Amino acid sequence: RAASPISFEFREPKKLPQPLLVLDDVAAGYGERHVLDHIKLNLSPGDRIALLGANGAGKSTMIKLLAGVSSPLGGTRTEARDLAIGYFAQHQLEQLVPSATAVDHIKRLDESIGEKDARDFLGGFGFSGDRALEPVEPFSGGEKARLCLALTVFQRPNVLLLDEPTNHLDLDMREALAEALNDFTGALVLVAHDRSLIRTCCDTLLLVHDGCVEPFNGDLDDYARFLAKRDTKTAAAKPAPASDPPTKRDDRRGRAKQRTDVAPLRQQLQHIERELAKTEAKKREAETALADPALYDNPKSDRVAELQRDAAQYAMTIERLESEWLEAQGALESAGSD
């Protein structure tokens, strides 16, 4: 790959108390409504945790509880005296001050920092030249996400809570974030659909489901199979409505409807498989070209960097297509197809 303008690292936290944060039989939710119950967690430096679960299962509720944004509805949440939380969530993009610059946002965190130091720091997040001195209002979603991450990093947290951090980020920023997270000495709790980021940065999986938060014994592939199996069981467990015994005509109609229902799912699965095969072939071609010694005869050529970028992009596309395939396969199984 050509050198990326984005490169940053987490500065060493000022303190690393042990433990950092403890949840003991905690309930979490909104108002009187409990979303999660009986949560037990001991968060220590070096922990690398990913929260898994369906949308609406309570992952963001768990993150907000850890962040102290919401208070426990029961049990105890105990913070270390020197706890320093860095919390990133998508809603923070909307909380940036439109008329303020990136440098202004840094100065709000530390009034003593000089403009040059602020600009040097922001340069690692891709805000080069005068971009750091321009109002953030016209910034793209990716630029705003980079700035919010920069503000999180600047605070030197010892607990890092990331809720879907890569939604607006390009490949360079995703790679820089993964590298920085692997060198982070505090505790990380991550919610992400980006399976590559989870694989790279997390070694503990917690499953949020049915009002509980519990360890998941397995990897992400096991989790995909768990979801497919669960959905199939749920579909099979649905009670059939009381009705008259089906006639042969009803049976034929039922089978025809099932074929109609699953046809789009089969087509989607076949489309993903074709795209996956094409992308894997392109990735092999790029890797074969990169392995040719003659490619490196001309050091001024941009071809090496182009091929490296292509290979990295194909790898990301393959990761995404594999996730889509697993979801489509699970949907097909839950629809009752053989």
Side-chain angles (χ1 to χ4, degrees):
R1 289 175 53 78
S4 167
I6 297 174
S7 178
F8 65 93
E9 60 184 21
F10 287 89
R11 295 181 294 170
E12 188 71 19
K14 293 178 181 177
K15 301 279 187 179
L16 279 172
Q18 169 81 12
L20 291 156
L21 182 64
V22 177
L23 303 180
D24 186 14
D25 199 27
V26 168
Y30 306 95
E32 298 295 320
R33 178 174 172 260
H34 286 213
V35 176
L36 302 170
D37 283 298
H38 307 298
I39 306 169
K40 288 184 176 292
L41 182 65
N42 189 318
L43 202 55
S44 299
D47 284 348
R48 296 287 185 274
I49 298 171
L51 300 182
L52 306 178
N55 291 338
K59 299 188 298 295
S60 290
T61 300
M62 179 67 174
I63 285 279
K64 288 175 182 176
L65 172 70
L66 291 169
V69 173
S70 60
S71 301
L73 301 181
T76 56
R77 175 184 180 276
T78 306
E79 297 184 355
R81 186 177 64 178
D82 295 306
L83 179 69
I85 290 176
Y87 173 41
F88 174 91
Q90 292 298 316
H91 71 269
Q92 290 171 331
L93 276 63
E94 307 306 319
Q95 294 176 356
L96 295 171
V97 180
S99 60
T101 68
V103 167
D104 291 335
H105 282 86
I106 291 291
K107 281 180 168 291
R108 282 188 168 90
L109 298 176
D110 180 4
E111 293 180 357
S112 68
I113 190 171
E115 181 180 302
K116 181 181 183 304
D117 288 340
R119 292 180 70 176
D120 287 346
F121 174 79
L122 289 164
F125 293 83
F127 296 103
S128 57
D130 292 333
R131 193 59 169 165
L133 299 175
E134 296 173 6
V136 304
E137 185 172 18
F139 279 14
S140 67
E143 287 176 311
K144 289 179 179 178
R146 278 192 274 124
L147 177 55
C148 285
L149 279 170
L151 297 175
T152 302
V153 171
F154 185 78
Q155 297 175 72
R156 298 177 68 175
N158 51 30
V159 169
L160 191 60
L161 309 173
L162 302 180
D163 192 353
E164 297 294 353
T166 60
N167 278 4
H168 295 286
L169 302 183
D170 61 16
L171 177 61
D172 285 339
M173 185 62 195
R174 289 181 184 215
E175 291 187 350
L177 176 61
E179 289 178 11
L181 287 175
N182 280 331
D183 291 331
F184 177 57
T185 57
L188 167 68
V189 181
L190 172 68
V191 174
H193 285 94
D194 187 335
R195 302 194 327 154
S196 176
L197 186 66
I198 294 175
R199 280 198 172 107
T200 302
C201 301
C202 297
D203 51 29
T204 299
L205 304 179
L206 294 183
L207 180 60
V208 182
H209 75 126
D210 298 334
C212 300
V213 180
E214 56 191 18
F216 182 78
N217 296 319
D219 58 18
L220 288 176
D221 294 330
D222 295 320
Y223 176 62
R225 287 189 284 270
F226 162 81
L227 287 180
K229 186 176 181 181
R230 184 198 62 183
D231 291 344
T232 301
K233 285 183 177 179
T234 300
K238 288 182 179 178
S243 61
D244 295 330
T247 64
K248 288 184 178 180
R249 177 181 292 180
D250 291 334
D251 191 42
R252 287 196 300 272
R253 285 176 176 170
R255 288 198 299 271
K257 183 177 184 306
Q258 185 186 45
R259 288 194 297 272
T260 302
D261 289 344
V262 302
L265 293 173
R266 287 189 182 280
Q267 291 171 3
Q268 181 188 8
L269 205 58
Q270 291 166 358
H271 172 73
I272 294 171
E273 288 170 349
R274 287 194 296 270
E275 290 300 309
L276 196 52
K278 288 179 187 176
T279 309
E280 286 173 340
K282 289 178 180 178
K283 182 171 178 283
R284 285 194 297 271
E285 287 177 9
E287 289 172 343
T288 299
L290 284 167
D292 183 0
L295 178 67
Y296 304 90
D297 289 345
N298 182 1
K300 294 184 179 180
S301 172
D302 293 332
R303 184 59 178 156
V304 174
E306 290 173 4
L307 286 169
Q308 288 173 330
R309 280 195 298 270
D310 289 346
Q313 187 62 54
Y314 293 144
M316 282 190 64
T317 302
I318 289 168
E319 185 80 26
R320 174 179 59 79
L321 289 170
E322 286 177 343
S323 295
E324 291 177 2
W325 186 92
L326 286 168
E327 290 176 8
Q329 180 65 29
L332 186 62
E333 291 177 4
S334 66
S337 170
D338 12 68

